[in-house]
Every structure is written in C-alpha cells, then in structure tokens.
Amino acid sequence: MYDNNPTLEGLKTMDEARQGSVLFKEHWQTSDAPGLKRFYIESYGCQMNFSDSEIVASILNEVGYVPTRNMEQSDLILINTCSIREKAEETVRKRLRVFENIKKERPGTMVGILGCMAERLKKQWLEEEKLVDLVVGPDAYRDLPNLIGAAEDGNRMVNVILSREETYADISPVRLNTNGITAFISIMRGCDNMCSFCVVPFTRGRERSRDPFSVVAEAADLFAQNYREVTLLGQNVDSYKWENPDTGEKTDFADLLAMVAQVSPLLRVRFSTSHPKDMDDKVLHTMAQHHNICKYIHLPVQSGNSRVLELMNRTYDRAWYMNRIEAIRQIIPDCAVSSDIIAGFCTETEEEHQDTLSMIEWANYSMSYMFFYSERPGTLAARKYADDIPEEVKKRRLNEIIRLQTAVSLRHNQADIGKTFEVLIEGDSRKSDQDFAGRNSQNKMVVFPKREGLRPGDYAQVRIKDATSATLLGELV
Ligand code: SAH
Ligand code: SF4
Ligand code: F3S
C-alpha cells in the first residue's frame, strides 16, 4: 500500500495512484484448461470488490467455469465495477471499448457488468451499452449461474436486487491473484451511514454482519494453507454486530478481532475501515492485548473542519476525532494511523481547508488517500448542496494536501530509522529479486536484502537504516 504514496506529479491521476493502493485495478488471470468454459474477471474499486470477485470465482467454479488469464480466449468477460468517483466510472467505460473489440472477433463471448456500477445504473446499461449481456449487483452473485444460462439462450439479463441478509458466509472464496501470504475476509456488507458525498449506501445496500464463526473458520482455513495475514473488511468495521439466533449471545467488533487473533499467534490480523464515530476504546484495548493484531488503524477524517464534517453527515466533529486519536496514542502508543481526505467539498472555504491541513499535521498520519470531491448522482450532497468549488480550486487544495501529507509521511518514516521491526515477508521487492519486501505491524512497506533460509510467509527482524515517504529500507538483525 505504501508504494503508491501520491506525489505532486501524481495530482492529475489521483485515482490511478489509488488504484495501486486501497483502490486497485487488477487484471486477474490464471490457468487455462481445454474443453471447459472459461471466464475472465477484472476488478476495480475497493478491497471489498476484490473480495467479491473471489466469491464470484467460487460460484462460477461450481458450475464448471474455470478462470483464464487470456481475455481473448474467454467465453465470459466480467468486470467488477466501482462508482465512488466519476473517474472510476470513466475507467470502466474505457475497458468496455476493449471488450467490444474482442466481442467483434468472437461474437459468442458474453460480457457481464458486476458490482457498484451495475447497481447504480441497473437496466440503463442495456440501453447504453449494446455489448452487455449481464448486469449483476453485489448481492445477486448467487444468481449468476441462472443468469448466465439465460444469457446463453440469447437473453440480456439483469439482477440488481439488494438483500438485507446476504453475506455469502457459506461460500469459500477462490483466492485470485494471491501472494499466498495475505488475504481479505469480508465480515460485513453494505453501509447505513449516509455520508452525504457517498454512493456506497446506494450501491451496496443496508449494513449486515456475517456470522463470526464463519469468519474464524475462513481465517483458520487460510492459516492451514500457510497464509499468515488476514484483513477483515467492511465499510465500517466498528459497527460489526452479530447475535447468535439460538443463544442470544452478542459479538461486537472487538470480540470478533479477539476471536480471529486466537486462530494462531502466527496469523496477523488487520482490518479496514474504521469509522471515527464508532471506534471505541474496547477495540483499542483488544488491539493492545494481542501482539498479532496489527498496530495500524485506517481512520478516515475526510475534513478537519467541523462545519464541513456536519455537511458531510459524518456525525462527528473535529474535537471528537481528535479525542479518538488521543485514545489511540494513549492505549496503543506504537500505533500508526492513516486517513482518507476529500478536498473542495461543497461550500468549503479557504479557512476550512486550512483546518484539514492542520489536522494532517496534528494527527501525524503515516499516509493518506486524498481526493477532490466528485459529485455522485442521487447522493444527499448532490440533492442538497451546490458543487460550487471550481475545479482548479479543488485541485489546488488537493495539491496542498498531498504536499503536506508527503512531508508528514517522510517525517513519520524517518522517525523509524534505527528501530527494529518484525516484518512479514510477502515476496520479492518490486525493484530487485535480491531484496524481500514485507510490512511491519504499522503497515509500512519494508525492503531489505535477502538471506538464505528465509522465505515469504516468514517473520524477519529488520533494523531500519533509511526511509522515503513511501518505504522503509533496512537490514536483517
Ligand atoms: N467506508 C469508508 C470509505 C469508503 S469510500 C469510510 O467511511 O471511510 C473510500 C473513500 O473515498 C472515502 O473515505 C472518501 O474519502 C472517498 N470518497 C467517497 N466518495 C467520494 C466522492 N464523492 N468524492 C471524492 N471522494 C470520495
Ligand atoms: Fe460511504 Fe460513509 Fe458508508 Fe464510508 S461510512 S461507505 S464514506 S457512507
Ligand atoms: Fe467503489 Fe463500490 Fe467499493 S463504489 S469503493 S467498489 S463499495
């Protein structure tokens, strides 16, 4: 995640920077098998979408579809889409032009739109895009085999029904594009928060939590397959709640974290995303008690100004947010905190923008994902407020935010020089096969020269010698 800390030059391509980090773009591929039907899937957007693609792969496997790395040879091309910003949707539209060419050469190829853009635009797809055979929303993936069957008969099929219950708890995901060491586990779906800028509650529906025992079983299964790190995913993990229908026993997020941490002391546990309004001290104490729960919290602030936060309907103010950071500092002193920030939200003044800058400095974020506001049709903000900050002002403010965060990240990383960290080796570093790369508990990427006998999946003690704003460089001790 740290390799893509956005730079000033990256300003015009913030979404691209993000795609390499929390928001990935993935062209996923694997083995070909003759005689079987083949599907090819590309995923865009957040980790949740990537996790969903693994569920889709599992459902398709059950009905005899095998994944292929070769789009040209596939019978079914799927694109798991994101609607979070306009740019994300434009990227998907561009990919469709590529699929169109393939369909011209192989007219039998089916094309399916999955995910958040399927949900947002629903039937409209069939009018707008003649190449689309299937439109399937995030809660309808179990219906894929039926829909594909009907599409094979020449029908164009849509299922975008959102569910109050679906968690895919019983489906064992087929791990796509995996490093074999780290994996995602979805613990909940949807979001009930209604932040005024955000399209997610509309594309993903109501919040619901997954049976904790199925989460623990999935973590234990991954550990047995030699995975060493799981990231528990939800739009707002702190509001995880589950009640045992038989005993009435309740499980909250802190309880779930402890349960997963007990799978093995060698299995690291991460989670994303935390919401400042819900992140309580119980979670922090649970983190402090378990060595293998990583000391890293992604706690998006969005804005440092209380009036803007109110317009955003974030339901906390600057003082509340600062109190949460202070609680983290007190209970988990070695914890790193990162953020998401939106520049140029409706009516934001220069002074209010300064409050965001001062928050970055005060909170001392190890890194942030930074965006300028992109109005999304149908959201509260689109209906209630004018998108009145000119684009050049949004970009200039974003530029200032990125410049400051880059300096704060560098300072944060330089403070680690001389320290020794436990690093989970994930594989070769991007730049050299003589070096390993892995992350420390604080989620910082650490690169260090290899030593014989060490392999991906091992824990190494690494002393930090140097740092950039994105990476720590060290040596084994
Ligand atoms: N559930 C998470 C975030 C999900 S979306 C949370 O509440 O923090 C990831 C990030 O995209 C958000 O944190 C926000 O910073 C950004 N984002 C969402 N909608 C946006 C919009 N309309 N314009 C610009 N950025 C947006
Ligand atoms: Fe969107 Fe807010 Fe829900 Fe996050 S918490 S997904 S920003 S509505
Ligand atoms: Fe995008 Fe949907 Fe995730 S809008 S950020 S893929 S929940």
Side-chain angles (χ1 to χ4, degrees), residues 25-250:
K25 182 180 71 168
E26 181 186 67
H27 298 270
W28 175 71
Q29 296 133 16
T30 183
S31 69
D32 293 330
L36 283 162
K37 294 223 165 163
R38 299 175 184 140
F39 75 94
Y40 168 92
I41 189 165
E42 274 183 20
S43 308
Y44 294 80
C46 62
Q47 291 162 333
M48 195 66 88
N49 248 18
F50 282 72
S51 176
D52 280 2
S53 289
E54 299 186 331
I55 286 165
V56 167
S58 174
I59 291 168
L60 292 180
N61 256 259
E62 289 290 311
V63 294
Y65 270 85
V66 293
T68 175
R69 60 177 66 238
N70 192 338
M71 186 192 330
E72 281 85 7
Q73 286 176 10
S74 63
D75 302 288
L76 172 63
I77 297 176
L78 297 172
I79 182 160
N80 199 352
T81 60
C82 174
S83 288
I84 201 82
R85 284 168 292 273
E86 203 176 334
K87 180 87 191 303
E89 295 201 345
E90 283 165 11
T91 309
V92 167
R93 298 275 188 185
K94 278 192 207 131
R95 289 303 290 163
L96 292 181
R97 302 288 71 83
V98 175
F99 302 160
E100 201 161 36
N101 288 332
I102 293 191
K103 204 162 168 162
K104 269 187 204 134
E105 282 160 32
R106 287 175 44 115
T109 314
M110 286 189 292
V111 173
I113 309 278
L114 311 180
C116 292
M117 273 179 92
E119 198 59 53
R120 198 175 81 75
L121 297 170
K122 303 185 169 74
K123 274 195 188 131
Q124 210 178 311
W125 275 111
L126 303 185
E127 288 140 38
E128 287 175 14
E129 295 280 357
K130 293 292 164 240
L131 84 158
V132 171
D133 303 287
L134 295 166
V135 181
V136 189
D139 286 345
Y141 297 144
R142 282 184 206 268
D143 197 25
L144 267 167
N146 295 327
L147 298 169
I148 292 169
E152 280 170 343
D153 296 337
N155 303 299
R156 302 175 79 203
M157 303 302 293
V158 179
N159 185 346
V160 288
I161 296 170
L162 287 172
S163 159
R164 278 174 177 262
E165 287 94 34
E166 182 62 89
T167 60
Y168 300 111
D170 57 314
I171 293 182
S172 178
V174 169
R175 303 290 162 186
L176 300 175
N177 214 29
T178 174
N179 60 9
I181 311 295
T182 59
F184 298 128
I185 302 180
S186 291
I187 62 164
M188 54 206 296
R189 300 182 70 81
C191 183
D192 282 351
N193 280 326
M194 291 306 228
C195 301
S196 64
F197 51 79
C198 185
V199 78
V200 173
F202 304 95
T203 63
R204 296 239 156 206
R206 299 304 298 269
E207 181 183 291
R208 65 219 97 118
S209 298
R210 177 177 166 189
D211 177 340
F213 299 101
S214 75
V215 173
V216 171
E218 193 172 326
D221 186 49
L222 285 163
F223 185 72
Q225 294 174 53
N226 290 321
Y227 283 81
R228 288 294 173 266
E229 185 179 294
V230 294
T231 303
L232 309 182
L233 294 181
Q235 294 298 350
N236 176 4
V237 290
D238 300 286
S239 68
Y240 177 91
K241 53 177 177 298
W242 195 77
E243 189 174 325
N244 189 320
D246 302 324
T247 63
E249 198 189 343
K250 292 193 170 93

